[in-house]
Amino acid sequence: NVIPERARCAGTIRATTPEARTLLCEGVRALADGVAATHRLRAEVVLSEGTPPLVNTAQAAAWAQAAARAVLGDEALKVLATANMGGEDFAFYTERMEGCFLRVGTWSEGRDRSGVHTPRFDPHEDALFVAAAVLAEAAREKDVRRQLEERAAGLKDLEQTARGGATGAAPSTVGVGSE
């Protein structure tokens, strides 16, 4: 029996939230330290940040779902039951701004059903146009909802002003006429 002087373990840590990722990293360190201490050894744990968790906010998911329904109809929308545990570069965007990672089907009859990360991946080119249409509609949906929220906030300010409440906004006059 040969007992090596060193052992090395490598892998990735994937989580659905930044808090879960922190907890997992702490757990890996604690596990390595515990196993090493059991054998009177020393553990050295080096964890790189890698890709952050990909978090779709409920609001951004709503924009994307509304866009998919508007462009493709209700039957085309498939809400995924589980989180995407892939390491996606898109997560760097959603750390800085609200967004939603969505998938657009690329398979069609007569084509290989290989996964996207294989050399046999054979997407139908029309999927690019479908994806572009859904993304454009999602941007419009986001803008429409933002405008509605701004108008609702403005109406609330007007209502408070009409009742004599302070809003922090410039004073307004609201006239109500009758015939």
Side-chain angles (χ1 to χ4, degrees):
N1 291 342
V2 177
I3 300 172
E5 292 183 20
R6 300 175 67 108
R8 184 168 189 255
C9 180
T12 61
I13 292 180
R14 309 250 172 117
T16 56
T17 66
E19 297 79 16
R21 182 186 175 105
T22 299
L23 187 63
L24 287 168
C25 289
E26 290 169 357
V28 166
R29 284 189 174 89
L31 181 63
D33 288 341
V35 170
T38 299
H39 300 285
R40 292 185 293 236
L41 300 171
R42 175 180 66 81
E44 180 182 336
V45 178
V46 178
L47 294 172
S48 63
E49 285 293 312
T51 307
L54 177 56
V55 179
N56 290 341
T57 64
Q59 185 169 340
W63 301 329
Q65 290 173 8
R69 283 186 180 103
V71 173
L72 303 169
D74 287 339
E75 66 285 346
L77 178 65
K78 307 289 184 230
V79 178
L80 302 178
T82 59
N84 176 5
M85 295 303 289
E88 273 300 330
D89 294 345
F90 188 75
F92 289 109
Y93 292 113
T94 59
E95 277 189 323
R96 289 167 180 75
M97 63 187 293
E98 196 166 27
C100 179
F101 184 84
L102 55 99
R103 297 178 186 177
V104 175
T106 61
W107 179 81
S108 66
E109 200 66 45
R111 292 180 180 257
D112 192 348
R113 283 187 181 257
S114 298
V116 296
H117 299 292
T118 71
R120 292 179 309 281
F121 178 54
D122 184 25
H124 194 292
E125 290 76 18
D126 287 349
L128 294 171
F129 300 105
V130 171
V134 171
L135 291 174
E137 183 61 28
R140 278 191 292 276
E141 178 70 23
K142 178 182 186 273
D143 189 51
V144 165
R145 288 187 189 211
R146 180 191 52 79
Q147 289 176 21
L148 290 174
E149 288 168 3
E150 287 174 359
R151 287 182 184 149
L155 289 174
K156 187 175 180 182
D157 285 348
L158 282 174
E159 182 181 340
Q160 287 178 345
T161 300
R163 292 183 181 174
T167 64
S172 301
T173 304
V174 177
V176 179
S178 62
E179 293 186 87

